[in-house]
Amino acid sequence: MELSSQKSQKLPLALALLALILLGAGSLYLTWHNLRQMHQTVFEHMLLSARSIARGLDIQLVEGARRMRPPGMHNRRLPQQLIPDARELFKEMVAEGDLLYIALYGPDRKPILVVEQADDDSTVYTPPAGIFDMITQMRESSTPVMIEGKAALLYGTMGQPILQRIYGHKRRGFMPPQDKETFLLLGLSAEKHLRQFNQYRRAALLQTGYIFLAGLVLWLLAVAYFQRREQGKKLTRMERFQANLLDNMPDGLLTISPQGSILSANGSAHKLLQCHPDEVLVSKNWNDFNYESLQDFRRDNVVWEHVRLGGKNLELIFFPYFESRIDQRTMIIIRDRTDIAGLEEDLYEARRLASIGSLAAGVAHEIRNPLSSLRGFAQLFADKFKEEQPYGTYATTMLTEADRLNRVVTDLLYLSKPHELNPEIMDLREICDSMQTLMGFDLEHKGTRLQTELNVEQVYADPDGIKQVLLNLLVNSLDAVPNAEGTISIIAEGTEHGVWLSVCDNGPGMPEDIRKHALEPFFTDKPKGTGLGLAIVNTIMRGHNGRVTISAPNMPGPLDGTCVMLFFPAPRDEGSE
């Protein structure tokens, strides 16, 4: 069973996905921005360190040279032994590990003194040529480089002019020219700073990944929540749909345990099993129901039973089902086959009437011609011997029996080929008045009173058909009522589906064994009856799409005798089924 979703969940999921994308984009942007700021901070810190080292080195060299100068040597060169001392100072600073490279270049941009961490002349580091122009323009310059395979920050600045004289300037006199300056280059190791930056970057990326993963998990949880909620709503709708379906389906549905206890039952089961409205069917045991009749049919694990309960023909279908591997139940479907059984009986009766009709048509054709001749001779003998007894009586009896036989043949012909009916709206009072006129002599002769109780004035029926039906019923009632105390009633009741027309009497009533076969052709309990009157009534009512019902002995009625009820359906609108 599929049910359409009344409300789409795509919008909440799309909003959740958009929120996840925005969260991821925001986290990535913030991480990139923080890493960029951190990288800039590291660079500025290294630049500040390089500036401090360069400034301190510059001051230390100048001050050291001045302290080491002997008195009275203002216009002479410094001793050559001070150069090795400066080299040792550079080596000590490089040996500390923060500096990878220290160099002093002259105005001609040639190295005056170079000290590296790896004291190997074959691997002397050469700074980029453009750095000297940058130092000349901006007084300092810095750029990231690789020194001895290690990341470093190359920082360059202007040295004081006196450094030319300290480290071997060939011009005589202590003071060098002021228009030319030296270049001091420092290679500051960036390994420690980069290691810290990489740790920070790794932590930031892990934090961003964690936030994104948490957002993804939240989004997946939201998707699962919406799907579960949608499935819960579908399950609720399905349960409500199935509950309404089971409660309103025409077939009854029961579930019983292996011990026969009724575990569940729908509304139709209460109606079909004829339970009281306040009675709880679940509290009963299935084995407590008693059937009037039982027919059992089996096919594999499914059992069919046709039972009769309270005047209804029921079909029971038993089949097992399992709520678990060890918990077995039995489900019962109850179907009302009363109408179908009635249709089957009608079909059987129609086939039988067709057979009787075919036989009656042949018999009537073979009997009526000689019967006409016999009746003619009987009429002749009745007129000729009416004064002579007992011959006149014999002739009159022959004439009466010939007429009766002719009526039987006529009824047989009607059963074999019923007349085409043309129903129309008729006035019931006029019909009852015509019946009073036709049966007036017979009613008066037997001392029987005919009364009418018409709660509806009109009926939709064939004029000849309804008169013949009422005439046959009145004749039967007249034979059943007692002399001088008989009462026959014609009662009309209207419903939304048609009119119920009943002919009731105060006779002895019809026993149950006779009532069951009263509508069958040739069945009668009268000594001189043919058994075709009620059969013709039933045939005419079938032509009206109506039905005939004979009251049971214990059914209440207006009189204590037999009550034959006729249902004439209301006219249908044009085009309706």
Side-chain angles (χ1 to χ4, degrees), residues 415-490:
L415 286 176
S416 64
K417 187 178 181 181
H419 298 291
E420 182 178 357
L421 302 178
N422 296 310
E424 60 183 44
I425 301 297
M426 299 188 62
D427 192 339
L428 282 174
R429 294 197 178 276
E430 294 182 0
I431 296 175
C432 292
D433 293 340
S434 64
M435 291 297 102
Q436 181 72 40
T437 303
L438 290 174
M439 298 292 297
F441 177 77
D442 296 327
L443 294 171
E444 184 179 356
H445 178 71
K446 197 168 184 180
T448 302
R449 182 168 57 94
L450 178 62
Q451 59 185 16
T452 59
E453 183 180 344
L454 306 178
N455 296 324
V456 62
E457 298 290 336
Q458 294 179 337
V459 66
Y460 184 70
D462 180 77
D464 295 334
I466 190 173
K467 290 179 181 179
Q468 185 174 0
V469 166
L470 290 177
L471 186 60
N472 287 347
L473 295 180
L474 290 175
V475 169
N476 290 342
S477 296
L478 189 61
D479 293 338
V481 297
N483 293 329
E485 296 180 356
T487 301
I488 301 176
S489 298
I490 301 178

Side-chain angles (χ1 to χ4, degrees), residues 349 353 411 414-415 417-423 460-473 519 532-548 566-569:
E349 185 176 354
L353 289 177
D411 293 339
Y414 188 89
L415 286 176
K417 187 178 181 181
H419 298 291
E420 182 178 357
L421 302 178
N422 296 310
Y460 184 70
D462 180 77
D464 295 334
I466 190 173
K467 290 179 181 179
Q468 185 174 0
V469 166
L470 290 177
L471 186 60
N472 287 347
L473 295 180
L519 300 179
L532 296 176
L534 289 178
I536 293 175
V537 169
N538 190 29
T539 302
I540 294 175
M541 292 308 299
R542 289 180 183 277
H544 285 86
N545 293 324
R547 60 180 182 269
V548 182
L566 311 172
F567 176 71
F568 292 89

Side-chain angles (χ1 to χ4, degrees), residues 251-318:
D251 296 338
L253 184 63
L254 295 176
T255 304
I256 62 175
S257 65
Q259 293 76 24
S261 300
I262 299 178
L263 304 177
S264 63
N266 63 347
S268 297
H270 287 78
K271 297 178 182 178
L272 294 176
L273 295 177
Q274 300 178 1
C275 298
H276 193 271
D278 298 332
E279 185 178 0
V280 180
L281 191 58
V282 176
S283 61
K284 287 191 172 183
N285 191 289
W286 175 253
N287 300 321
D288 296 338
F289 290 92
N290 297 321
Y291 308 118
E292 301 173 9
S293 62
L294 174 63
Q295 294 179 348
D296 192 355
F297 306 91
R298 295 181 180 271
R299 181 183 300 172
D300 298 332
N301 293 329
V302 182
V303 179
W304 278 271
E305 291 184 357
H306 291 174
V307 302
R308 187 170 180 84
L309 180 63
K312 288 186 176 183
N313 293 314
L314 302 179
E315 179 186 46
L316 307 179
I317 302 177
F318 298 80

Side-chain angles (χ1 to χ4, degrees), residues 3 46 116 154 176 193 260 293 310 344 346 374 432 438-439 560 571:
L3 294 178
M46 292 179 63
E116 297 184 37
L154 181 62
H193 300 280
S293 62
E344 292 175 350
D346 294 343
L374 291 175
C432 292
L438 290 174
M439 298 292 297
D560 296 335

